Amino acid sequence: YQRRVRASDSSPLEFHFGDQLGIVKTECFDETHSGIYFVEVLPPQVNKGRSLSRLCSELNVSGSEVIAFGDGLNDLEMLEWAALGICMKNSHPELKLKISRQTTFSNDHDGAAKELLSILQLSED
């Protein structure tokens, strides 16, 4: 899941970690997860999509030239930003609902490499 919360809201982070987070009650943050054991807490508007956009800008690469692969909800903005955003076979179910292109390969079995070879029409040799 991904959502914007205020620390004063009832959030899963506060429920599970309470005072351990040391969140200032007036701060706003984004929370997402990239796996069952990982919770990511980021300043608002910080995500992989914005980071990829900034990197491409620094490298003078157009977004129309970008292919991105992802499997977790923390990849959503990146996949939406890229000209071709592809979610993996084993992607989070919510990501599969939001990203139209999906590969038949999982990231556990070199799925991004296999899909890229297919897109570029190259053999695995």
Side-chain angles (χ1 to χ4, degrees):
Y1 68 94
Q2 182 170 1
R3 68 182 190 136
R4 172 153 301 151
V5 298
R6 287 207 171 272
S8 59
D9 292 349
S10 174
S11 87
L13 289 176
E14 286 194 290
F15 176 77
H16 292 291
F17 300 104
D19 295 333
Q20 296 175 27
L21 292 174
I23 297 171
V24 177
K25 292 291 184 190
T26 58
E27 296 271 320
C28 187
F29 59 90
D30 286 343
E31 62 178 284
T32 186
H33 68 89
S34 56
I36 192 167
Y37 299 109
F38 303 102
V39 175
E40 299 168 13
V41 180
L42 303 165
Q45 305 301 315
V46 173
N47 59 59
K48 290 182 180 183
R50 291 190 82 147
S51 297
L52 183 57
S53 173
R54 185 171 177 183
L55 175 64
C56 287
S57 178
E58 292 289 324
L59 298 173
N60 293 318
V61 173
S62 167
S64 66
E65 301 175 89
V66 176
I67 299 173
F69 296 89
D71 66 339
L73 292 177
N74 65 333
D75 297 319
L76 178 62
E77 293 89 354
M78 174 182 68
L79 297 177
E80 290 175 333
W81 181 86
L84 181 55
I86 303 171
C87 64
M88 307 306 296
K89 179 180 180 179
N90 61 320
S91 292
H92 190 283
E94 287 181 43
L95 188 66
K96 288 181 178 182
L97 293 174
K98 295 178 180 181
I99 301 299
S100 60
R101 174 111 182 214
Q102 298 172 29
T103 180
T104 57
F105 307 108
S106 88
N107 59 354
D108 296 324
H109 297 99
D110 301 323
K114 289 177 182 177
E115 185 72 13
L116 193 55
L117 288 171
S118 174
I119 291 168
L120 299 174
Q121 299 179 347
L122 300 173
S123 69
E124 291 187 45
D125 299 333

